[in-house]
Amino acid sequence: MENSSKKLQSLDIEKNCLSGLLKFPNVASDLPAHISAQDFVSRPHQIIYTVLRSIIDDNKKPEVVLI
């Protein structure tokens, strides 16, 4: 029996979330404030999310090529 407190893990969901932020950075303001990089299981996804949020929070457009 799995531990019920274990986080739901899906790399595909993480990729889709990050892809959505890249395509539609204006929706970042609609994300709940309690979502953080630690909600991502993959370390690279945590880094990408942190960088994306920083760029978006500075009212800049993320460059897909850089990511």
Side-chain angles (χ1 to χ4, degrees), residues 9 12 14 21-22 24 27-29 32-34 40 42 48-49 60 66:
Q9 299 177 9
D12 288 334
E14 290 183 9
L21 279 176
L22 279 170
F24 308 103
V27 301
S29 61
H34 62 272
F40 292 85
S42 166
I48 293 169
Y49 178 80
K60 296 179 182 173
L66 294 176

Side-chain angles (χ1 to χ4, degrees), residues 16-56:
N16 288 334
C17 177
L18 294 172
S19 175
L21 279 176
L22 279 170
K23 291 178 185 176
F24 308 103
N26 57 323
V27 301
S29 61
D30 295 338
L31 294 174
H34 62 272
I35 293 177
S36 71
Q38 287 68 39
D39 292 318
F40 292 85
V41 176
S42 166
R43 180 68 180 138
H45 291 170
Q46 291 174 351
I47 295 167
I48 293 169
Y49 178 80
T50 300
V51 171
L52 273 175
R53 280 307 298 235
S54 177
I55 291 169
I56 293 168

